Amino acid sequence: MEEMPCPHAWVVLKSKNLTTDNYYSNLYKSEAVVKTYDVPVYPLPDESEWKIPASISEEIVLPLRYKRPPGRPKKKCDKPLTELLPNKYSNSCSRCGHEGHNRCSCRNEPRRK
């Protein structure tokens, strides 16, 4: 991937007394490194001397609408269908007939037949 032999290949090349110049990319040779510095690099002038086009200087940059909260995002779990639908059945007491409790926790008077 890097156009260089792996460490195992280097050991084999050294043990066979082969030159390693033919086995890696020209980007890693000293001539290529020297060529990168052939072109002079000039520093930027002072900020007061910059020439900025009017279309860019008039452009307004607004901040983001929302800020991403810190931490790992929470999982978005899908709820089962039974949890989304309203409960059809509720507890009804066999003693008084009211809903919401059962016979063991009933405090109402027994219903009359």
Side-chain angles (χ1 to χ4, degrees):
M1 288 177 58
E2 297 173 353
E3 298 182 19
M4 287 184 73
C6 65
H8 301 92
W10 283 107
V11 172
V12 171
L13 291 171
K14 294 278 185 182
S15 67
K16 300 270 184 177
N17 293 327
L18 296 172
T19 58
T20 57
D21 293 340
N22 299 333
Y23 295 99
Y24 60 93
S25 175
N26 291 334
L27 295 173
Y28 298 104
K29 294 183 180 178
S30 60
E31 298 89 28
V33 174
V34 171
K35 284 183 183 178
T36 57
Y37 295 104
D38 279 348
V39 180
V41 178
Y42 299 106
L44 286 172
D46 190 44
E47 191 173 344
S48 61
E49 299 175 13
W50 290 358
K51 296 176 183 174
I52 302 172
S55 61
I56 294 175
S57 63
E58 293 173 357
E59 191 171 323
I60 299 172
V61 179
L62 298 174
L64 295 173
R65 291 185 184 180
Y66 61 91
K67 185 178 178 183
R68 186 172 160 242
R72 185 178 179 147
K74 294 186 177 172
K75 289 184 178 180
K76 295 179 180 175
C77 297
D78 293 333
K79 293 185 178 180
L81 186 62
T82 56
E83 201 172 313
L84 296 174
L85 295 175
N87 197 0
K88 281 195 231 179
Y89 306 104
S90 65
N91 294 342
S92 62
C93 179
S94 61
R95 183 182 289 173
C96 68
H98 291 97
E99 291 184 352
H101 65 276
N102 59 18
R103 181 184 180 134
C104 296
S105 61
C106 183
R107 294 185 180 182
N108 300 332
E109 292 180 19
R111 66 177 155 189
R112 300 184 187 191
K113 295 183 182 181

